Amino acid sequence: MNFILARRARALTSSAIREILKVTERPEVISFAGGLPSPQSFPVDEIARASVRVFGRQAATALQYGPTEGYAPLREWVAARHGVDAAQVMITTGSQQALDLLGKVLIDAGSPVLVETPTYLGALQAFALYEPVFCAVDCDADGPLPQALSAGLAAGARFIYVQPNFQNPTGRRMPLARRQELVARAAALGLPVVEDDPYGELAYDGEHLPSLRSLAPNGVVYLGSFSKVLAPGLRLGYLIAPPALFGKLVQAKQASDLHTPSVAQLLAWETVRDGLLDTHLDSVRALYAGQCAAMLGALERHMPAGVSWNRPQGGMFIWLTLPAGLDAGALLDAAVARNVAYVPGAAFYAGEGPVNTLRLAFVTVPQALIEEGVARLGALFAAALAGDTAASLPA
Amino acid sequence: MNFILARRARALTSSAIREILKVTERPEVISFAGGLPSPQSFPVDEIARASVRVFGRQAATALQYGPTEGYAPLREWVAARHGVDAAQVMITTGSQQALDLLGKVLIDAGSPVLVETPTYLGALQAFALYEPVFCAVDCDADGPLPQALSAGLAAGARFIYVQPNFQNPTGRRMPLARRQELVARAAALGLPVVEDDPYGELAYDGEHLPSLRSLAPNGVVYLGSFSKVLAPGLRLGYLIAPPALFGKLVQAKQASDLHTPSVAQLLAWETVRDGLLDTHLDSVRALYAGQCAAMLGALERHMPAGVSWNRPQGGMFIWLTLPAGLDAGALLDAAVARNVAYVPGAAFYAGEGPVNTLRLAFVTVPQALIEEGVARLGALFAAALAGDTAASLPA
């Protein structure tokens, strides 16, 4: 049978990260590629106890169809945490689904969509199915440059997509002044903002900067996630949308999966309802701060001169820039042959990006292996810099 | 902020059923409108025991990111049950998501998509977001008429969507000969078939007719569901697709929600792995056969002459046809005022449908209330037939 593919599907390709993860499934590979939270960060005992309560007292609700908007007590919990009306909160099947729903509701083929440089690969994938024209906004270490948001760039654009906290892939956090400038500029241009915030709770210094949403409630759609603060296997995210958009997102969600699994929503609610998250997050932040410090220390010890990186204050990722002339994509095979892996930075650019960048996740691998993995990478990059052409070949 | 909606979103409307369900949330309403499975049909104790095993032994897997295709043991279980290779099986977030993914991968704006007359409302909603031109195929009590599948109708069509078993809304089952004729005709026309089978396990006579997929493995995408055989709150469905299409569906799923919640997949697997489903389904079938018989008996006792209905051999729905001149949509308000509800049939047609049809679900309401609810409907329709114009007004 000859299936006629839709135009959007003909352009579909598998994620670069997904392909890398397949290669790095071998247990001997020290993988800094995936963004898998450490299983140590999951509150297993608390979720197990919650499951006893859910199936003991609320089984009929947990196992039945539920409202498209989500389980009301969980929506109210999110609303209270963000100081919004629960009527603006929708529970989604991971925040990835929120990206898909925004694409469904806001993107026509050919619509301009503005993104950071670089930006989150999963958002590019979700939006790409609706065939926008991605426009990369110039950024510095603080995020998008407000002056780069020109009237020309914003004309007809459906939204700008940003991760203000510990961005994937760069780990950068947008300072308050930049946030204020960005939302003011977007408002002046009539440009909606999509604020994706999976890592906001992972600030090691405990500092919570105001969300873009709180600075411009009617112009921002906010996406949150339970994946990094509770557990990704629940696939629970949420969005907070202005009333003008909320109803359409609900209708799109209804057509997409009716609603997010009731069982996951009730498990999450029973786990967080008594305030677990705040104490639990302290331990997650401490865990990841230690992992981050271990990787920063290893980078200092093992990277050759000319390699630079940022020092994230939270989140899961460090962004490396190699000296010009090195190609992180071309060196990946050699790295994997040495049983260490990363994601080449080029995957995170809407258009052509520099080939000498890469993303390291520091949350999956134990500290002792971080040292060893970074040492292997340092040796590889040093050899490549020394013109050792064998370095770029599989060992 | 002025959000520019995508063209597909401007056309979005809320489901007629969803709106009716809101009205019928009042506990005094006897609702035959929703297709909610009876909570009595959920194997609560077995799922509760499964949850203890999942969180006791496999918490790290249940709470972590997983493969887009689904949890391997659950895929293998589905594959064994259907006699296919697990590489063709993908777990979806309800079978509603499978409909969305098929829309994403196969429908361009303006593509013809063939549907039954009438057809499942949720499929119309899912596909509509991809802006096809729906073409209604003439049907009789056995399903689509093969001779209605003309070369002209099939030209350029992306697929024909059918529910061969106890179709929602009509409850009809396609006999074997019709299945054979349909797949032969579709193959001759090069027309892919999407076979949606949420109710196939609910055959009261225990007779399993061959799936369309088994009759034409390379031309059919099969959709299955755990919602009616285990519990809808898990939001677990699956699809079985020919290799030519499978990879694209996986990529579309990755962009849509990364993967279906691991926790729901492991709960289902731990519940069904030791063969629970076969004994459990016996009790579900017996329960629903009793409910169906109760409604058929009540219809015989209470419906005025001129009202006709089918006698389903399985599933959850009975389809009523009122005498010409009565409008099921116009009478709904009067029904709800009398504390009884149904879904007017017009919602299930791709184009204009007859106004004198309606769908009754017999699986949600206990038998004693079925009698009472049908009596109220019978009185309403009798009054309307007698020309009592007050009948069509809220009481």
Side-chain angles (χ1 to χ4, degrees):
Chain A
M1 180 63 66
N2 176 33
F3 294 93
I4 306 174
L5 294 179
R7 188 179 60 187
R8 76 179 73 78
R10 293 197 295 272
L12 266 179
T13 54
S14 193
S15 143
I17 292 182
R18 188 183 159 80
E19 294 308 308
I20 292 165
L21 289 179
K22 281 186 190 166
V23 174
T24 60
E25 271 169 7
R26 288 185 286 125
E28 64 272 25
V29 174
I30 300 174
S31 178
F32 304 131
L36 295 185
S38 168
Q40 283 181 266
S41 73
F42 304 158
V44 174
D45 294 343
E46 290 82 355
I47 296 177
R49 283 198 293 275
S51 81
V52 172
R53 291 196 296 276
V54 165
F55 290 111
R57 299 181 208 153
Q58 303 171 80
T61 307
L63 297 175
Q64 187 56 283
Y65 286 115
T68 299
E69 295 88 340
Y71 180 57
L74 189 61
R75 295 173 70 200
E76 283 155 18
W77 181 90
V78 169
R81 210 163 165 91
H82 288 274
V84 299
D85 187 329
Q88 286 181 256
V89 176
M90 180 166 75
I91 306 296
T92 58
T93 310
S95 62
Q96 186 71 26
Q97 184 185 44
L99 299 171
D100 179 59
L101 297 177
L102 286 165
K104 273 197 170 88
V105 168
L106 291 175
I107 303 177
D108 283 307
S111 306
V113 165
L114 311 190
V115 296
E116 291 181 87
T117 307
T119 188
Y120 172 50
L121 175 58
L124 292 175
Q125 290 182 289
F127 300 150
L129 276 162
Y130 303 98
E131 304 179 275
V133 174
F134 287 116
C135 304
V137 177
D138 287 342
C139 294
D140 63 12
D142 289 342
L145 293 162
Q147 64 270 30
L149 274 187
S150 64
L153 199 59
R158 299 307 168 94
F159 55 83
I160 178 171
Y161 168 79
V162 290
Q163 288 189 339
N165 288 317
F166 318 117
Q167 194 225 21
N168 182 353
T170 62
R172 70 188 170 208
R173 174 164 58 177
M174 206 182 295
L176 178 57
R178 180 65 59 89
R179 293 174 191 234
Q180 292 165 330
E181 290 164 6
L182 181 67
V183 298
R185 185 83 188 126
L189 294 166
L191 178 68
V193 176
V194 173
E195 175 180 28
D196 188 8
D197 190 23
Y199 313 112
E201 300 277 13
L202 300 181
Y204 307 148
D205 54 11
E207 190 179 3
H208 277 259
L209 295 180
S211 65
L212 303 182
R213 191 205 59 70
S214 69
L215 298 173
N218 287 316
V220 178
V221 180
Y222 177 93
L223 313 186
S225 173
F226 288 92
S227 290
K228 309 310 186 293
V229 300
L230 213 52
L234 296 168
R235 306 299 308 120
L236 286 178
Y238 54 89
L239 61 80
I240 303 172
L245 198 59
F246 191 81
K248 290 290 181 184
L249 290 166
V250 173
Q251 289 164 10
K253 163 116 177 127
Q254 189 190 12
S256 299
D257 67 358
L258 300 185
H259 63 86
T260 293
S262 312
V263 67
Q265 295 188 70
L266 267 75
L267 279 174
W269 158 241
E270 277 293 338
T271 304
V272 301
R273 60 183 296 178
D274 294 326
L276 167 81
L277 214 49
D278 293 310
T279 52
H280 172 64
L281 281 172
D282 284 342
S283 71
V284 177
R285 284 188 282 256
L287 175 70
Y288 288 170
Q291 303 265 126
C292 183
M295 185 170 277
L296 289 169
L299 289 167
E300 291 289 350
R301 283 186 286 281
H302 299 294
M303 281 295 141
V307 178
S308 62
W309 57 89
N310 63 333
R311 305 184 63 87
Q313 253 86 66
M316 302 169 55
F317 304 108
I318 294 174
W319 184 247
L320 254 73
T321 304
L322 304 180
L326 291 195
D327 181 334
L331 285 165
L332 180 61
D333 279 352
V336 171
R338 285 157 181 77
N339 288 332
V340 60
Y342 55 82
V343 181
F348 301 98
Y349 291 86
E352 288 285 298
V355 298
N356 63 328
T357 58
L358 59 103
R359 188 193 77 177
L360 298 176
F362 50 77
V363 296
T364 316
V365 173
Q367 292 195 21
L369 289 177
I370 287 177
E371 184 72 22
E372 173 60 26
V374 171
R376 290 181 197 168
L377 282 181
L380 172 66
F381 298 151
L385 275 173
D388 177 359
T389 53
S392 64
L393 300 173
Chain B
M1 179 64 65
N2 177 34
F3 294 93
I4 306 174
L5 294 179
R7 188 179 60 189
R8 75 179 75 78
R10 293 197 294 272
L12 266 179
T13 55
S14 193
S15 142
I17 292 181
R18 188 183 159 81
E19 294 308 307
I20 292 164
L21 288 178
K22 280 186 191 167
V23 174
T24 60
E25 271 169 7
R26 287 186 287 125
E28 63 272 26
V29 174
I30 299 174
S31 179
F32 304 131
L36 295 185
S38 168
Q40 283 181 265
S41 72
F42 304 157
V44 173
D45 293 343
E46 290 82 353
I47 297 177
R49 284 198 292 275
S51 80
V52 172
R53 292 196 295 275
V54 165
F55 290 112
R57 299 181 208 153
Q58 303 170 80
T61 306
L63 297 176
Q64 187 56 283
Y65 286 116
T68 299
E69 295 87 341
Y71 180 56
L74 189 62
R75 295 173 70 202
E76 284 155 18
W77 182 90
V78 169
R81 211 165 163 90
H82 288 275
V84 299
D85 188 329
Q88 286 181 257
V89 175
M90 180 165 75
I91 307 296
T92 57
T93 309
S95 62
Q96 185 71 26
Q97 185 185 45
L99 298 171
D100 179 58
L101 297 177
L102 287 164
K104 274 197 170 89
V105 167
L106 291 175
I107 303 177
D108 283 307
S111 306
V113 164
L114 311 190
V115 297
E116 292 180 86
T117 307
T119 187
Y120 172 51
L121 176 58
L124 291 175
Q125 290 183 290
F127 300 150
L129 276 163
Y130 303 99
E131 305 180 274
V133 174
F134 287 116
C135 304
V137 177
D138 287 342
C139 293
D140 63 12
D142 289 343
L145 292 162
Q147 63 271 29
L149 273 188
S150 64
L153 198 60
R158 299 308 168 93
F159 55 83
I160 178 170
Y161 169 78
V162 290
Q163 287 189 339
N165 288 317
F166 318 118
Q167 194 225 22
N168 182 351
T170 61
R172 69 188 172 211
R173 173 163 59 177
M174 205 183 293
L176 178 57
R178 179 65 61 90
R179 291 173 193 236
Q180 292 166 329
E181 289 164 5
L182 181 68
V183 296
R185 185 83 187 125
L189 293 167
L191 178 68
V193 176
V194 173
E195 175 180 27
D196 188 7
D197 190 24
Y199 313 111
E201 300 278 13
L202 299 182
Y204 307 147
D205 54 13
E207 190 179 1
H208 277 260
L209 295 179
S211 66
L212 304 181
R213 192 206 57 72
S214 69
L215 298 173
N218 287 318
V220 178
V221 180
Y222 177 94
L223 313 187
S225 173
F226 288 92
S227 289
K228 309 308 186 293
V229 300
L230 213 52
L234 296 168
R235 305 300 308 120
L236 286 178
Y238 53 90
L239 61 79
I240 302 172
L245 197 60
F246 191 81
K248 290 290 181 184
L249 290 167
V250 173
Q251 289 165 10
K253 164 121 177 122
Q254 190 190 12
S256 299
D257 68 358
L258 300 185
H259 64 86
T260 294
S262 312
V263 67
Q265 296 188 70
L266 267 75
L267 279 173
W269 159 240
E270 277 293 338
T271 304
V272 301
R273 61 183 295 178
D274 295 325
L276 167 82
L277 215 49
D278 292 311
T279 51
H280 172 64
L281 281 172
D282 284 342
S283 71
V284 177
R285 283 187 282 256
L287 174 70
Y288 288 170
Q291 302 266 128
C292 183
M295 185 170 277
L296 289 169
L299 289 166
E300 290 289 348
R301 282 185 287 280
H302 299 294
M303 281 295 141
V307 178
S308 62
W309 55 89
N310 63 333
R311 304 185 63 86
Q313 253 85 66
M316 302 169 54
F317 304 108
I318 293 174
W319 184 247
L320 254 72
T321 304
L322 303 180
L326 290 196
D327 181 333
L331 286 165
L332 181 61
D333 279 353
V336 171
R338 285 158 181 77
N339 288 332
V340 59
Y342 55 81
V343 182
F348 300 99
Y349 291 86
E352 287 286 299
V355 299
N356 63 328
T357 58
L358 59 101
R359 190 193 77 177
L360 298 176
F362 51 77
V363 297
T364 315
V365 173
Q367 291 196 22
L369 289 178
I370 287 178
E371 184 73 22
E372 173 61 25
V374 171
R376 291 182 197 168
L377 281 182
L380 172 67
F381 297 151
L385 274 173
D388 178 359
T389 54
S392 64
L393 300 174

